[in-house]
């Protein structure tokens, strides 16, 4: 079966999963963290090379402070225990997003995990934390403008690959496949530039209920799709 080399997931629906059960939204986030562990392990087993997971958007800071606080504590525990375990298994871990917005101890953890796994080949897990694609694009534009202002760059030297090299995803191939759980059919500021030719998959399943079988279903759907990138089907008569 043809597999996406780089799969990205918008892990949505934690809050509604909890509400449906009469639980506080934060219980949904806790359950979601368990799903994350399971799905990372399964994606590796399936042979996906890179998995990018949207865990917190640059807009999610707008949520009530108690919810944001719970999420921060979950990230803290997750980075210390689970992501640390990934590192021990030889998995490369990196982060995209506005790192500086997090508490110093979290920033330190992220930097350490990235540093210690930078040379790991094989499976790569990318966590998007306080990530927003528009922000990322603006950052790239600013870097290029600064270079141009210093006379180090001519406007005509800016092409797609040069621009891509200034995004936080510079060292990653574009995602082949983007899955969104939770029933909404939108990107919510995720990988806008990189998603130009990604195959999209939406499922109503809430993230805490997403499992190996659901990932298999998604991957089967991907395998059936024909990617044309604006070209034509192979072996088609013109
Ligand atoms: C996704 O679940 C997790 C984060 C955005 C942090 P939500 O919290 O958005 O859950 P719903 O969409 O309200 O159900
Ligand atoms: C997108 O979900 C962000 C993450 C899953 C981390 P949201 O719940 O924030 O998206 P909207 O607000 O429904 O678009
Ligand atoms: Mg949501």
């Amino acid at each position: 079966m043809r597999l996406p080399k780089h799969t990205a997931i918008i892990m949505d629906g934690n809050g509604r999963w909890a509400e449906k059960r009469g639980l506080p939204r934060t219980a949904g986030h806790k359950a979601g963290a368990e799903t994350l562990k399971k799905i990372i392990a399964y994606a590796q087993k399936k042979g996906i090379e890179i998995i990018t997971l949207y865990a917190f958007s640059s807009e999610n800071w707008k949520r009530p402070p108690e919810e944001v606080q719970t999420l921060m504590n979950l990230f803290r525990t997750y980075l210390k225990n689970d992501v640390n375990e990934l590192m021990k298994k030889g998995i490369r871990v990196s982060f995209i997003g506005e790192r500086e917005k997090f508490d110093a101890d979290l920033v330190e953890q992220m930097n350490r995990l990235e540093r210690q796994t930078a040379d790991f080949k094989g499976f790569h897990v990318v966590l998007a934390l306080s990530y927003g694609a528009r922000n990322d694009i603006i950052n790239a534009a600013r870097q290029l403008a600064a270079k141009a202002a210093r006379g180090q760059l001519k406007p005509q030297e800016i092409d797609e690959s040069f621009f891509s090299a200034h995004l936080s995803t510079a060292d990653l191939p574009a995602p082949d496949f983007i899955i969104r759980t939770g029933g909404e059919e939108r990107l919510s500021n995720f990988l806008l530039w990189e998603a130009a030719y990604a195959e999209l998959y939406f499922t109503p399943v809430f993230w805490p209920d997403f499992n190996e079988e659901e990932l298999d279903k998604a991957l089967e759907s991907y395998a059936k799709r024909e990617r044309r990138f604006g070209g034509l089907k192979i072996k088609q008569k013109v």
Side-chain angles (χ1 to χ4, degrees):
M1 195 169 84
R2 193 166 47 87
L3 276 175
K5 179 184 164 87
H6 180 184
T7 295
I9 308 184
I10 303 172
M11 308 183 287
D12 196 24
N14 291 350
R16 281 165 288 157
W17 178 90
E19 278 157 30
K20 209 175 76 184
R21 284 166 176 72
L23 297 168
R25 291 177 55 82
T26 50
H29 295 314
K30 287 198 186 95
E34 292 305 311
T35 304
L36 182 58
K37 263 193 272 186
K38 253 191 341 215
I39 293 300
I40 288 176
Y42 193 58
Q44 181 179 30
K45 190 173 149 209
K46 292 292 281 189
I48 290 171
E49 290 174 40
I50 305 162
I51 189 165
T52 298
L53 300 143
Y54 202 12
F56 193 79
S57 77
S58 50
E59 287 75 30
N60 288 148
W61 295 106
K62 289 192 281 202
R63 302 232 176 146
E66 310 79 58
E67 180 163 345
V68 171
Q69 194 51 49
T70 303
L71 284 165
M72 292 305 130
N73 289 335
L74 269 177
F75 295 152
R76 190 166 274 118
T77 320
Y78 202 77
L79 291 180
K80 214 159 92 196
N81 303 328
D82 306 301
V83 183
N84 224 25
E85 283 303 309
L86 297 180
M87 181 180 80
K88 287 191 200 141
K89 284 193 224 155
I91 296 171
R92 181 170 169 208
V93 184
S94 58
F95 301 88
I96 53 173
E98 311 158 298
R99 202 170 304 195
E100 65 287 353
K101 290 219 175 153
F102 292 93
D103 288 346
D105 65 311
L106 282 170
V107 177
E108 176 43 43
Q109 288 276 11
M110 292 187 227
N111 291 343
R112 180 181 65 86
L113 288 160
E114 262 184 4
R115 207 172 45 238
Q116 295 179 341
T117 65
D119 298 327
F120 292 175
K121 306 286 180 255
F123 191 44
H124 185 180
V125 174
V126 183
L127 293 167
L129 292 174
S130 190
Y131 174 84
R134 286 183 169 178
N135 253 328
D136 209 39
I137 291 168
I138 286 170
N139 270 334
R142 281 197 183 135
Q143 288 177 52
L144 298 178
K147 282 185 192 173
R150 289 196 298 264
Q152 294 165 340
L153 175 68
K154 296 193 190 76
Q156 59 273 25
E157 286 171 337
I158 303 172
D159 59 11
E160 287 187 14
S161 70
F162 196 77
F163 195 88
S164 298
H166 290 79
L167 294 169
S168 63
T169 51
D171 61 341
L172 304 169
D176 304 292
F177 192 36
I178 299 182
I179 299 171
R180 182 173 186 144
T181 64
E184 311 294 355
E185 304 194 348
R186 53 178 173 252
L187 289 175
S188 300
N189 205 11
F190 188 47
L191 302 177
L192 298 182
W193 167 283
E194 297 85 344
Y197 273 103
E199 296 295 330
L200 308 179
Y201 180 90
F202 300 103
T203 167
V205 174
F206 294 137
W207 176 249
D209 286 332
F210 196 77
N211 55 21
E212 289 89 345
E213 202 185 317
E214 292 295 335
L215 183 58
D216 276 337
K217 272 209 291 207
L219 293 173
E220 275 158 31
S221 162
Y222 176 83
K224 286 194 208 117
R225 302 189 190 187
E226 184 192 85
R227 305 187 71 192
R228 288 191 289 273
F229 300 96
L232 292 181
K233 265 204 292 210
I234 319 158
K235 287 189 227 135
Q236 211 181 16
K237 267 196 177 163
V238 182

